[in-house]
Amino acid sequence: MNSPRPVLVVGASGFVGSRVVRGLAAGGRPVLAAARRELPDRVTVQPGVVPVRNTGPSSLPDAVREACAQTGVPLPGAVVASIGGWQKGAPLLEVDPSDWTATLASHLTAHLDTARALVPLLGPGDPYVVLNGAASREAMSGSGAINVTGAGLAMLVQVLRLESSGPRFHELVIDHAVAGDDRNEGPAQTRAPAQVVQALGELLDDPAAPAVRHV
């Protein structure tokens, strides 16, 4: 039996992304872990993980090809985009315009740029899964920019799915704080990283998986 093609995780150095990489690799999937920053030790020591260093979406395809050529692993057969994150700050009307612009770029435009760069690496029916959070559905005081970009991201994935003649696009919504993230102050509920990885695996493996999956 042929070994599975790797899953490319973009944003692999982040809190959620790094745990997704470890969980997928621990489950036996080869993982290409792409990040602009140095990957944490908990990622690089996990067997089955191939680091991919890049400077942004435009450099990502070449970085993936180079990592695959150097290690002998095949090109990815799936993409998981864990880009952006959650933050809390000033009320929306008091957000500095430059901060607003930066959040739009890092939490929304970056997803579109990444999809543009990576879709040519995937074949028909290959999964492309975008991670989103509860702020995409629930208004949160002090996180207005994240609310807006999260809601926009949900629509972005819907449009990409509607227009795609190649990969299948999915949104995985993490409805509660991921356990262990100390940025969340006393969350009412949490989700263990293993729960996120399990839901993600179901989307990756099932060609008939729903467009949107909540966990």
Side-chain angles (χ1 to χ4, degrees):
M1 180 181 295
N2 294 329
S3 59
R5 290 171 61 193
V7 178
L8 171 61
V9 177
V10 184
S13 62
F15 182 86
V16 176
S18 63
R19 285 155 177 80
V20 164
V21 169
R22 280 187 56 84
L24 291 175
R29 300 175 191 264
V31 179
L32 295 161
R36 301 170 73 169
R37 301 192 302 272
E38 195 73 30
L39 290 169
D41 291 343
R42 64 178 176 273
V43 171
T44 56
V45 300
Q46 175 69 49
V49 174
V50 175
V52 179
R53 292 297 301 276
N54 68 98
T55 58
S58 62
S59 70
L60 192 48
D62 285 342
V64 170
R65 292 187 184 98
E66 181 178 354
C68 290
Q70 290 178 348
T71 59
V73 303
L75 288 171
V79 170
V80 175
S82 180
I83 302 172
W86 179 82
Q87 64 193 40
K88 190 172 183 179
L92 193 54
L93 292 179
E94 299 174 15
V95 171
D96 185 277
S98 61
D99 291 339
W100 169 263
T101 300
T103 302
L104 286 176
S106 63
H107 287 63
L108 186 54
T109 305
H111 274 282
L112 178 58
D113 291 342
T114 300
R116 283 191 179 120
L118 295 181
V119 161
L121 297 181
L122 300 176
D126 286 345
Y128 190 116
V129 182
V130 173
L131 270 56
N132 209 344
S136 63
R137 270 74 176 175
E138 177 186 351
M140 299 179 180
S141 178
S143 295
I146 306 302
N147 285 138
V148 173
T149 53
L153 179 58
M155 182 55 69
L156 174 67
V157 178
Q158 289 186 47
V159 174
L160 290 175
R161 183 179 178 94
L162 179 66
E163 295 179 341
S164 178
S165 58
R168 51 183 174 90
F169 285 88
H170 301 272
E171 180 193 15
L172 177 60
V173 186
I174 306 172
D175 286 321
H176 302 282
V178 177
D181 189 347
D182 58 12
R183 293 173 300 177
N184 298 289
E185 301 174 359
Q189 295 187 54
T190 60
R191 291 290 180 264
Q195 292 176 281
V196 177
V197 172
Q198 179 180 349
L200 181 56
E202 293 168 1
L203 290 177
L204 294 174
D205 292 338
D206 183 3
V212 181
R213 172 79 156 80
H214 290 259
V215 62

